[in-house]
Amino acid sequence: MPNLSDLYQIQWGQEKSAQTTTALQQYNFITAHGCHFCINIGSTIKVWQDNQYFALFNGYHLNDLKLKNDAFLKQLSYGSQEQRIQWLKDTTGYFNLLIINKNSGEMFLARDKYGCKPLYYSINAGSGTISNYLAQFNRTQFSFDPIGLYESIHYRWLSGKQTLETSIEQIPAGYYGTITDSKVQTTQYWYWHQLSNNKNSQQLSLNTATEKVSKYLDEYFQLLEPQVNKVLIPLSGGVDSSILAAKAKQHLGNKCVAGIIEFEDENPELETAIYFANTLNMPYRLIKYHNESILEDCKQLVTHLEQLPRHYSSMPFYRLLNISDEFDAIIYGEPGDTFFGSHTIKRLLKQLKRMQLLKSLPVSLSTSNILASTFPQIHTKVKNFQQTHLHQLIHSADKIAFSNIDTTILARLKDYYTEQLDIDQQLPLENEKQFNRLEQHHQLSWIKTYMMITDIADHLVTAERLIKNKSVKLLTPLTYDKIAQASWQLSSKAYLGKDQVKEVLRKIGCQYYSKESMYAPKYGFNTPKDKWLKILNTQFVTSLKSGYLINKNIITQQQLDTFEQLSAEMRWTLYHLERYIQNASEHIN
C-alpha cells in the first residue's frame, strides 16, 4: 500500500475490509471497549492489516525511509509485548505506532525514543481520539492542565504525558501505551542513562571517540545515500551543522544543498556559513529574512507547533523550511550540544561539584552560628546548597528568566489554573523517580538524560512541525544509535574539553575545514529579537486586548497600556498563549 499524505480514513465491518482516502477531515472510526475512537495519526503513513490486526506506522526508520516493505508491521502485530519493546529500543528513526487487535479491541501505541513524532489521545464519556495533531480533537470546553501550563511558561517544553489541556494527554518520548477497558496505561521502555551503565562499555578517550563517531557518521550516510534524492542542510556557521554538511557532501555528493539564513541587520556567522559551503563546493540558498516577515510568521507559529514556541530562532527556521518542497529530506544538527558538550552543561557540572563539596562539609552547631552571625548571606547560601537535590538545581537552572515586573502575571496564572495544586513544590517531570535514582549515578549522564527528555524532545518536535511539506523526512545523523552510545561512553574530560566544548566534533571538522574555523569563537544563532519585538508590539496588544487572558483577569488593561515594560520573554509568552487558546477554541463543540 503506498504512503498516504495528509489525513486518511480506514473503516472495517463484518468483512474486515479497508478503504482509504486522503480527503481532509476524514478519520478512522473504531469501536473498542465501549468507546467510539476517532483515529488520525499523521502524514507519512504506512498501513497494514489482515483479519486479526490493524497496524499503522507514521514516520520512518533508517533502514527503509520510504517504507517500501511493510513486513515489520506484520511482525510487530503478531509479536509478543517483549518483541515489540525490543524493536522500539533497536530502531533508529522518528515515528509513532498504533496496533489494534480487531478481535479483542486492545490497542498498542508507541512513540520513538527521541519523541520527534507526538502522539496524543483523549478518552471521555464513551468516545476517544488518537492523533498526531491537536487540531483533530474536538473539545466540549477549554481548560488548561496546570502542570502542562507551568512547564510551557517556565521552560517552553512538555516532558511527561501532560499537554497544555486537561482533556488531552500524550505518549511521552520513549514510552509505549496500551488501551484496554477504556483505560490508558503508559510504560517507559527507554532510559538514556542506561547507555552509560552498560557493563560491556568502557569510557572512550578523545581520540578513540573521534574515530568512532566519524566512522558511525560514515555508516549513517552510506545507509542514507540510496534512499534520498535531494537533501537540504540548514547551515548556521556552527560546529554541528558544518560537520554534518561535510559528511553529507562526502557521501551524498550533488544531492546536497545548504540553506543559509541572512537577517536584515545582524549576521554574526553568515560569512562562516558561506565559507563552509564554499569549502565543500556545496551549492547553497541564501534565504533573506526581512524584519517585517516576523508579523506573518508569528501569526502562524503556534498553529504549526501546537505548543508555545521556545525560541525566537523558530522564526527564521520556519522560513528556511518553507523551501522544503524541493527536497525529500532535511539534515538537522540536534542533539549535538547534549551528546558532545555545551557551555550550559559545563556550567551545570561546576555547580553540581560545588554543591556536593558544600554538602560534604561537616559544619558544627557552633561554627554554623558563628557563620550565621558574621556572614549571614554566605550562611544562607551554604545552607540552601546543602538542602538542595541535584534535580532541583538543574531544573531551576533551565528556567526562563522572567523579570520582577512579570511576577504579578505569573502569580495570576498560578492562582487561576492550579487550584489546590502547589505547582512550585512539584517537579513537573513525569520521570522524577528516575531522576532521584540517578543522583547515585554519573552526574554527566544525569544531566544529559534530563536534556534528552526535555529540551531535545522539544527541539525535535519543533523542527518536525515546522516542515511545510510533511512528506519530507527530518533526519538527525547524530541520533544514530551507535553515535548515541559513543557519546554516553565519553569521559568527562573528553566531553568537556579544555577551552572549547564539542572537541570530538571539532576534531572531525578539521579533516574538512581549517583548524582556525573549527576553533573560532561561537557567536550563536542570534536573532534581532529587540527589533522584532518593536515591530510585533502592536500585533501582540491587539491580539490580547479582547482575548481570553484579559477576560480572565490574568492580564489587566493597565498592563496592556504599558506592555513594553514587560520583559521580552513575558510578551512572547502571553501572545503565543493567547494564540494557542484561539486555535483550541475553534475546535470546541
Side-chain angles (χ1 to χ4, degrees):
M1 184 177 293
N3 290 343
L4 307 177
S5 61
D6 297 322
L7 309 183
Y8 58 91
Q9 182 180 36
I10 183 163
Q11 299 173 317
W12 57 78
Q14 293 180 346
E15 300 83 10
K16 301 285 196 285
S17 61
Q19 302 86 35
T20 60
T21 177
T22 59
L24 289 174
Q25 304 305 324
Q26 299 288 315
Y27 307 97
N28 305 300
F29 294 104
I30 299 167
T31 300
H33 315 300
C35 282
H36 189 58
F37 278 91
C38 169
I39 309 288
N40 172 351
I41 299 196
S43 56
T44 312
I45 298 161
K46 186 73 175 178
V47 175
W48 174 88
Q49 68 174 330
D50 63 7
N51 288 337
Q52 186 171 349
Y53 287 101
F54 167 78
L56 187 150
F57 180 90
N58 174 40
Y60 74 87
H61 59 90
L62 182 59
N63 291 328
D64 188 5
L65 291 186
K66 299 184 183 300
L67 300 179
K68 294 179 180 178
N69 187 344
D70 60 8
F72 75 99
L73 284 177
K74 180 178 181 179
Q75 293 170 357
L76 286 173
S77 296
Y78 281 94
S80 65
Q81 190 92 318
E82 290 75 18
Q83 288 171 323
R84 291 176 180 177
I85 293 168
Q86 193 60 49
W87 186 89
L88 293 170
K89 290 180 178 179
D90 293 342
T91 299
T92 295
Y94 295 147
F95 56 85
N96 45 48
L97 173 70
L98 170 68
I99 299 173
I100 302 173
N101 186 317
K102 294 181 180 180
N103 298 323
S104 68
E106 182 175 283
M107 299 182 184
F108 178 89
L109 306 88
R111 187 173 173 187
D112 69 79
K113 61 179 78 86
Y114 290 92
C116 184
K117 293 278 189 180
L119 183 54
Y120 306 108
Y121 60 88
S122 177
I123 302 176
N124 186 24
S127 65
T129 302
I130 302 172
S131 180
N132 192 43
Y133 298 103
L134 291 174
Q136 306 309 324
F137 288 80
N138 289 317
R139 294 87 159 170
T140 56
Q141 61 180 357
F142 181 84
S143 177
F144 275 121
D145 179 271
I147 295 179
L149 182 67
Y150 179 89
E151 283 194 327
S152 294
I153 289 175
H154 288 277
Y155 304 99
R156 309 273 166 81
W157 41 246
L158 293 161
S159 64
K161 65 181 181 180
Q162 293 83 16
T163 67
L164 271 167
E165 303 179 50
T166 53
S167 60
I168 304 171
E169 294 183 331
Q170 64 177 328
I171 302 292
Y175 277 66
Y176 70 90
T178 56
I179 302 178
T180 53
D181 299 326
S182 304
K183 296 179 180 178
V184 180
Q185 177 68 44
T186 59
T187 305
Q188 189 173 7
Y189 69 84
W190 185 257
Y191 299 86
W192 284 104
H193 69 276
Q194 290 182 348
L195 291 177
S196 62
N197 296 338
N198 188 337
K199 293 181 180 179
N200 297 322
S201 65
Q202 296 179 344
Q203 280 203 340
L204 300 179
S205 67
L206 178 59
N207 289 337
T208 302
T210 302
E211 292 173 5
K212 283 182 175 290
V213 172
S214 181
K215 173 187 172 183
Y216 297 150
L217 282 172
D218 290 335
E219 284 184 16
Y220 181 94
F221 282 104
Q222 286 164 5
L223 281 169
L224 200 62
E225 194 279 329
Q227 303 190 67
V228 295
N229 297 312
K230 194 173 183 181
V231 176
L232 174 66
I233 306 172
L235 200 53
S236 67
V239 174
D240 306 347
S241 63
S242 63
I243 272 65
L244 295 181
K247 289 291 187 182
K249 178 64 176 178
Q250 179 181 340
H251 295 283
L252 306 181
N254 293 331
K255 295 180 178 181
C256 303
V257 176
I260 301 173
I261 289 288
E262 180 182 6
F263 295 119
E264 190 171 320
D265 301 300
E266 304 166 19
N267 295 280
E269 295 198 313
L270 176 63
E271 290 185 5
T272 306
I274 293 174
Y275 158 77
F276 287 143
N278 288 335
T279 300
L280 298 172
N281 196 26
M282 181 184 292
Y284 63 88
R285 303 282 182 81
L286 201 59
I287 295 90
K288 295 188 177 182
Y289 196 94
H290 298 287
N291 289 338
E292 295 298 325
S293 300
I294 194 72
L295 289 167
E296 185 58 34
D297 289 354
C298 210
K299 288 180 182 177
Q300 301 298 324
L301 199 56
V302 169
T303 303
H304 286 280
L305 292 181
E306 298 191 312
Q307 63 185 41
L308 301 190
R310 187 173 188 187
H311 297 295
Y312 295 91
S313 59
S314 300
M315 315 305 292
F317 195 61
Y318 170 60
R319 184 56 61 100
L320 174 64
L321 295 182
N322 276 343
I323 69 172
S324 64
D325 285 348
E326 306 172 35
F327 303 89
D328 56 0
I330 295 173
I331 302 293
Y332 189 45
E334 290 292 347
D337 284 5
T338 299
F339 275 10
F340 295 104
S342 73
H343 290 291
T344 299
I345 293 178
K346 197 170 186 175
R347 185 178 66 252
L348 283 172
L349 279 172
K350 287 181 178 179
Q351 289 177 310
L352 287 176
K353 290 183 184 299
R354 190 180 303 123
M355 185 182 77
Q356 289 190 327
L357 174 63
L358 290 172
K359 277 176 174 280
S360 67
L361 289 176
V363 182
S364 66
L365 181 62
S366 59
T367 304
S368 180
N369 290 337
I370 293 172
L371 188 63
S373 60
T374 310
F375 303 103
Q377 290 182 330
I378 295 177
H379 176 262
T380 300
K381 186 173 289 189
V382 170
K383 189 175 180 181
N384 289 340
F385 261 129
Q386 290 180 326
Q387 295 174 350
T388 300
H389 291 289
L390 298 185
H391 68 257
Q392 294 170 330
L393 177 65
I394 297 178
H395 211 64
S396 63
D398 207 31
K399 267 193 176 183
I400 292 169
F402 290 112
S403 68
N404 291 335
I405 60 173
D406 301 333
T407 54
T408 55
I409 295 176
L410 292 173
R412 288 198 193 98
L413 281 166
K414 178 186 173 184
D415 291 342
Y416 192 79
Y417 294 115
T418 60
E419 297 177 349
Q420 302 302 315
L421 181 63
D422 189 354
I423 209 95
D424 288 336
Q425 299 302 316
Q426 179 167 344
L427 184 69
L429 293 168
E430 184 170 284
N431 307 69
E432 180 176 2
K433 290 181 179 179
Q434 178 192 166
F435 285 150
N436 287 339
R437 291 195 302 270
L438 275 174
E439 291 197 11
Q440 308 303 319
H441 293 279
H442 193 269
Q443 293 174 352
L444 182 56
S445 175
W446 194 101
I447 297 173
K448 288 166 72 174
T449 296
Y450 172 88
M451 294 293 186
M452 290 306 299
I453 67 171
T454 57
D455 190 61
I456 300 306
D458 171 79
H459 275 297
L460 294 175
V461 170
T462 296
E464 194 271 339
R465 285 295 167 91
L466 290 180
I467 297 174
K468 181 180 178 183
N469 182 351
K470 292 300 180 182
S471 64
V472 176
K473 309 292 190 304
L474 180 71
L475 304 176
T476 54
L478 295 178
T479 62
Y480 186 32
D481 284 353
K482 292 181 179 180
I483 295 175
Q485 177 68 67
S487 82
W488 246 264
Q489 291 177 243
L490 273 175
S491 66
S492 296
K493 183 178 180 181
Y495 181 87
L496 296 173
K498 295 180 180 179
D499 299 323
Q500 297 278 16
V501 292
K502 298 185 187 175
E503 188 72 17
V504 168
L505 297 183
R506 292 178 196 275
K507 286 176 72 67
I508 295 173
C510 288
Q511 301 171 23
Y512 303 91
Y513 311 106
S514 69
K515 185 175 181 180
E516 290 74 19
S517 65
M518 280 292 95
Y519 287 87
K522 172 69 176 174
Y523 294 101
F525 190 68
N526 296 318
T527 57
K529 68 175 185 179
D530 292 335
K531 291 186 178 180
W532 286 357
L533 281 171
K534 288 182 180 179
I535 296 170
L536 287 167
N537 195 65
T538 301
Q539 180 170 297
F540 282 7
V541 172
T542 301
S543 179
L544 290 164
K545 68 181 181 182
S546 59
Y548 185 94
L549 297 178
I550 197 168
N551 289 336
K552 298 298 183 181
N553 199 37
I554 293 167
I555 55 174
T556 65
Q557 185 60 50
Q558 181 182 2
Q559 286 167 330
L560 282 183
D561 292 340
T562 57
F563 195 61
E564 290 191 18
Q565 293 181 16
L566 295 174
S567 70
E569 288 74 17
M570 178 55 74
R571 283 179 278 163
W572 181 260
T573 297
L574 290 174
Y575 172 75
H576 287 104
L577 195 59
E578 188 69 56
R579 289 287 299 162
Y580 181 94
I581 297 168
Q582 291 170 4
N583 290 343
S585 299
E586 294 175 2
H587 301 279
I588 295 177
N589 292 330

